[in-house]
PDB file of all heavy atoms in Angstrom:
ATOM      1  N   ASP A  86      -2.249  -6.485   4.724  1.00 90.00           N
ATOM      2  CA  ASP A  86      -2.377  -5.578   5.866  1.00 90.00           C
ATOM      3  C   ASP A  86      -2.837  -4.187   5.432  1.00 90.00           C
ATOM      4  O   ASP A  86      -3.574  -3.518   6.156  1.00 90.00           O
ATOM      5  CB  ASP A  86      -1.051  -5.461   6.625  1.00 90.00           C
ATOM      6  CG  ASP A  86      -0.776  -6.665   7.508  1.00 90.00           C
ATOM      7  OD1 ASP A  86      -1.694  -7.484   7.704  1.00 90.00           O
ATOM      8  OD2 ASP A  86       0.359  -6.769   8.009  1.00 90.00           O
ATOM      9  N   VAL A  87      -2.412  -3.744   4.256  1.00 89.00           N
ATOM     10  CA  VAL A  87      -2.834  -2.433   3.769  1.00 89.00           C
ATOM     11  C   VAL A  87      -4.325  -2.438   3.495  1.00 89.00           C
ATOM     12  O   VAL A  87      -5.056  -1.527   3.912  1.00 89.00           O
ATOM     13  CB  VAL A  87      -2.052  -2.031   2.499  1.00 89.00           C
ATOM     14  CG1 VAL A  87      -2.625  -0.768   1.886  1.00 89.00           C
ATOM     15  CG2 VAL A  87      -0.590  -1.844   2.826  1.00 89.00           C
ATOM     16  N   ARG A  88      -4.797  -3.450   2.813  1.00 89.00           N
ATOM     17  CA  ARG A  88      -6.230  -3.523   2.517  1.00 89.00           C
ATOM     18  C   ARG A  88      -7.047  -3.577   3.810  1.00 89.00           C
ATOM     19  O   ARG A  88      -8.066  -2.906   3.934  1.00 89.00           O
ATOM     20  CB  ARG A  88      -6.516  -4.745   1.626  1.00 89.00           C
ATOM     21  CG  ARG A  88      -6.001  -4.547   0.199  1.00 89.00           C
ATOM     22  CD  ARG A  88      -6.412  -5.684  -0.719  1.00 89.00           C
ATOM     23  NE  ARG A  88      -5.743  -6.944  -0.416  1.00 89.00           N
ATOM     24  CZ  ARG A  88      -4.494  -7.249  -0.768  1.00 89.00           C
ATOM     25  NH1 ARG A  88      -3.774  -6.387  -1.445  1.00 89.00           N
ATOM     26  NH2 ARG A  88      -3.970  -8.415  -0.460  1.00 89.00           N
ATOM     27  N   GLU A  89      -6.599  -4.357   4.789  1.00 91.00           N
ATOM     28  CA  GLU A  89      -7.306  -4.461   6.061  1.00 91.00           C
ATOM     29  C   GLU A  89      -7.255  -3.135   6.810  1.00 91.00           C
ATOM     30  O   GLU A  89      -8.253  -2.706   7.408  1.00 91.00           O
ATOM     31  CB  GLU A  89      -6.716  -5.575   6.925  1.00 91.00           C
ATOM     32  CG  GLU A  89      -7.284  -5.667   8.325  1.00 91.00           C
ATOM     33  CD  GLU A  89      -8.804  -5.875   8.390  1.00 91.00           C
ATOM     34  OE1 GLU A  89      -9.427  -6.280   7.378  1.00 91.00           O
ATOM     35  OE2 GLU A  89      -9.369  -5.626   9.464  1.00 91.00           O
ATOM     36  N   GLY A  90      -6.117  -2.468   6.803  1.00 90.00           N
ATOM     37  CA  GLY A  90      -5.989  -1.184   7.486  1.00 90.00           C
ATOM     38  C   GLY A  90      -6.913  -0.130   6.889  1.00 90.00           C
ATOM     39  O   GLY A  90      -7.595   0.598   7.616  1.00 90.00           O
ATOM     40  N   VAL A  91      -6.950  -0.058   5.572  1.00 91.00           N
ATOM     41  CA  VAL A  91      -7.832   0.909   4.908  1.00 91.00           C
ATOM     42  C   VAL A  91      -9.295   0.568   5.178  1.00 91.00           C
ATOM     43  O   VAL A  91     -10.102   1.440   5.489  1.00 91.00           O
ATOM     44  CB  VAL A  91      -7.535   0.968   3.391  1.00 91.00           C
ATOM     45  CG1 VAL A  91      -8.582   1.790   2.656  1.00 91.00           C
ATOM     46  CG2 VAL A  91      -6.139   1.532   3.150  1.00 91.00           C
ATOM     47  N   ALA A  92      -9.643  -0.705   5.061  1.00 93.00           N
ATOM     48  CA  ALA A  92     -11.028  -1.128   5.293  1.00 93.00           C
ATOM     49  C   ALA A  92     -11.458  -0.817   6.731  1.00 93.00           C
ATOM     50  O   ALA A  92     -12.560  -0.319   6.967  1.00 93.00           O
ATOM     51  CB  ALA A  92     -11.194  -2.615   5.004  1.00 93.00           C
ATOM     52  N   SER A  93     -10.600  -1.098   7.695  1.00 93.00           N
ATOM     53  CA  SER A  93     -10.962  -0.849   9.094  1.00 93.00           C
ATOM     54  C   SER A  93     -11.115   0.646   9.362  1.00 93.00           C
ATOM     55  O   SER A  93     -11.977   1.055  10.136  1.00 93.00           O
ATOM     56  CB  SER A  93      -9.929  -1.463  10.039  1.00 93.00           C
ATOM     57  OG  SER A  93      -8.697  -0.774   9.949  1.00 93.00           O
ATOM     58  N   HIS A  94     -10.280   1.449   8.711  1.00 91.00           N
ATOM     59  CA  HIS A  94     -10.394   2.903   8.874  1.00 91.00           C
ATOM     60  C   HIS A  94     -11.708   3.403   8.269  1.00 91.00           C
ATOM     61  O   HIS A  94     -12.414   4.203   8.876  1.00 91.00           O
ATOM     62  CB  HIS A  94      -9.199   3.588   8.214  1.00 91.00           C
ATOM     63  CG  HIS A  94      -9.180   5.065   8.389  1.00 91.00           C
ATOM     64  ND1 HIS A  94      -8.886   5.661   9.590  1.00 91.00           N
ATOM     65  CD2 HIS A  94      -9.436   6.069   7.517  1.00 91.00           C
ATOM     66  CE1 HIS A  94      -8.956   6.964   9.443  1.00 91.00           C
ATOM     67  NE2 HIS A  94      -9.290   7.242   8.195  1.00 91.00           N
ATOM     68  N   ARG A  95     -12.017   2.910   7.100  1.00 94.00           N
ATOM     69  CA  ARG A  95     -13.252   3.306   6.416  1.00 94.00           C
ATOM     70  C   ARG A  95     -14.486   2.872   7.203  1.00 94.00           C
ATOM     71  O   ARG A  95     -15.453   3.605   7.311  1.00 94.00           O
ATOM     72  CB  ARG A  95     -13.281   2.682   5.012  1.00 94.00           C
ATOM     73  CG  ARG A  95     -14.392   3.206   4.124  1.00 94.00           C
ATOM     74  CD  ARG A  95     -14.378   2.601   2.725  1.00 94.00           C
ATOM     75  NE  ARG A  95     -13.081   2.704   2.080  1.00 94.00           N
ATOM     76  CZ  ARG A  95     -12.381   1.661   1.603  1.00 94.00           C
ATOM     77  NH1 ARG A  95     -12.864   0.445   1.673  1.00 94.00           N
ATOM     78  NH2 ARG A  95     -11.212   1.834   1.024  1.00 94.00           N
ATOM     79  N   GLU A  96     -14.414   1.669   7.788  1.00 96.00           N
ATOM     80  CA  GLU A  96     -15.553   1.109   8.517  1.00 96.00           C
ATOM     81  C   GLU A  96     -15.544   1.486  10.001  1.00 96.00           C
ATOM     82  O   GLU A  96     -16.408   1.047  10.754  1.00 96.00           O
ATOM     83  CB  GLU A  96     -15.557  -0.412   8.356  1.00 96.00           C
ATOM     84  CG  GLU A  96     -15.719  -0.846   6.902  1.00 96.00           C
ATOM     85  CD  GLU A  96     -15.348  -2.308   6.671  1.00 96.00           C
ATOM     86  OE1 GLU A  96     -15.133  -3.041   7.661  1.00 96.00           O
ATOM     87  OE2 GLU A  96     -15.274  -2.694   5.492  1.00 96.00           O
ATOM     88  N   LYS A  97     -14.537   2.244  10.418  1.00 95.00           N
ATOM     89  CA  LYS A  97     -14.408   2.699  11.814  1.00 95.00           C
ATOM     90  C   LYS A  97     -14.453   1.535  12.793  1.00 95.00           C
ATOM     91  O   LYS A  97     -15.267   1.491  13.714  1.00 95.00           O
ATOM     92  CB  LYS A  97     -15.474   3.740  12.133  1.00 95.00           C
ATOM     93  CG  LYS A  97     -15.360   4.990  11.283  1.00 95.00           C
ATOM     94  CD  LYS A  97     -16.304   6.062  11.740  1.00 95.00           C
ATOM     95  CE  LYS A  97     -16.316   7.307  10.897  1.00 95.00           C
ATOM     96  NZ  LYS A  97     -15.320   7.602   9.981  1.00 95.00           N
ATOM     97  N   ARG A  98     -13.551   0.576  12.552  1.00 94.00           N
ATOM     98  CA  ARG A  98     -13.446  -0.597  13.418  1.00 94.00           C
ATOM     99  C   ARG A  98     -11.969  -0.891  13.668  1.00 94.00           C
ATOM    100  O   ARG A  98     -11.098  -0.383  12.993  1.00 94.00           O
ATOM    101  CB  ARG A  98     -14.134  -1.806  12.787  1.00 94.00           C
ATOM    102  CG  ARG A  98     -13.507  -2.233  11.462  1.00 94.00           C
ATOM    103  CD  ARG A  98     -14.120  -3.533  10.947  1.00 94.00           C
ATOM    104  NE  ARG A  98     -13.668  -3.829   9.603  1.00 94.00           N
ATOM    105  CZ  ARG A  98     -12.502  -4.383   9.290  1.00 94.00           C
ATOM    106  NH1 ARG A  98     -11.624  -4.702  10.238  1.00 94.00           N
ATOM    107  NH2 ARG A  98     -12.184  -4.624   8.044  1.00 94.00           N
ATOM    108  N   THR A  99     -11.705  -1.728  14.654  1.00 93.00           N
ATOM    109  CA  THR A  99     -10.327  -2.136  14.935  1.00 93.00           C
ATOM    110  C   THR A  99      -9.869  -3.091  13.845  1.00 93.00           C
ATOM    111  O   THR A  99     -10.584  -4.038  13.490  1.00 93.00           O
ATOM    112  CB  THR A  99     -10.268  -2.861  16.301  1.00 93.00           C
ATOM    113  OG1 THR A  99     -10.756  -1.971  17.306  1.00 93.00           O
ATOM    114  CG2 THR A  99      -8.851  -3.284  16.633  1.00 93.00           C
TER     115      THR A  99
END
Side-chain angles (χ1 to χ4, degrees):
D86 283 349
V87 172
R88 288 186 291 282
E89 174 58 17
V91 171
S93 69
H94 183 72
R95 190 178 308 123
E96 298 164 9
K97 298 187 184 344
R98 62 174 172 80
T99 301

